[in-house]
Amino acid sequence: MTLPNFELEQALHAQGHVRIAGVDEVGRGPLAGPVVAAAVVLDPQDIPTGLNDSKKLTAKRRMALDIAVRERAEFAIAEASVAEIDEINILRASHLAMERAVAALNPAPDFLLIDGNMIPRGLTIPSEAVIKGDARSVSIAAASILAKNWRDQLMVDLAQQHPGYGWETNAGYPSKQHREALQNLGVTPHHRRSFKPVHNMLYQE
């Protein structure tokens, strides 16, 4: 397995950029809960070992790396709410969360490596979109870990308030348990009404 590396960041350092942030979001696909983004500026002299795409890590390893990144890097985490997702669509909301995470970094980064194939339109800092960035750049991988852990814990907390949907294990994604609970228990305030399975339940003819 090829792990993400620091090559993209090193090339940017060689061009004179000093503070390079990796940016990633998590939570586009779930039927419930916010979308979460993180921005991380790693210390080139102190990069935690084992950083990888958060989806390829065990929960235990992800938590250990989450702690390491928080202790050794600069970071910010931000959300876009369910109401915002429903109002402006999930793609724009995920970009809004990214923009908020970047804006929360202080001092501001001077270059951004953004996971995906689009640069959010609200960003004014020089940026590069990196397809499958969490598998290529350690900065983006670190951001993916922080964002996923933050969102997973948030969904565990929401599961306490709304038991039965299985959010503590499915994180709001449309698992069999979640879809059955929607039918049996109905729609909560945390469900995305613009998403087809939820929308169809609310507006059945």
Side-chain angles (χ1 to χ4, degrees), residues 39-61:
V40 176
V41 180
L42 292 173
D43 178 351
Q45 310 303 322
D46 191 18
I47 299 171
T49 55
L51 289 170
N52 202 354
D53 174 359
S54 62
K55 298 183 288 296
K56 297 177 181 173
L57 298 167
T58 64
K60 184 178 179 183
R61 186 80 189 111

Side-chain angles (χ1 to χ4, degrees), residues 86-100:
D86 287 341
E87 182 179 345
I88 62 177
N89 80 47
I90 184 59
L91 175 64
R92 182 71 194 107
S94 67
H95 285 182
L96 183 60
M98 286 181 171
E99 292 163 12
R100 287 170 174 165

Side-chain angles (χ1 to χ4, degrees), residues 6-58:
F6 202 60
E7 289 175 8
L8 290 170
E9 292 86 342
Q10 284 172 323
L12 289 163
H13 282 304
Q15 295 170 26
H17 296 289
V18 179
R19 294 176 49 76
I20 299 157
V23 187
D24 200 4
E25 51 74 30
V26 66
R28 281 198 197 183
L31 303 179
V35 62
V36 175
V40 176
V41 180
L42 292 173
D43 178 351
Q45 310 303 322
D46 191 18
I47 299 171
T49 55
L51 289 170
N52 202 354
D53 174 359
S54 62
K55 298 183 288 296
K56 297 177 181 173
L57 298 167
T58 64

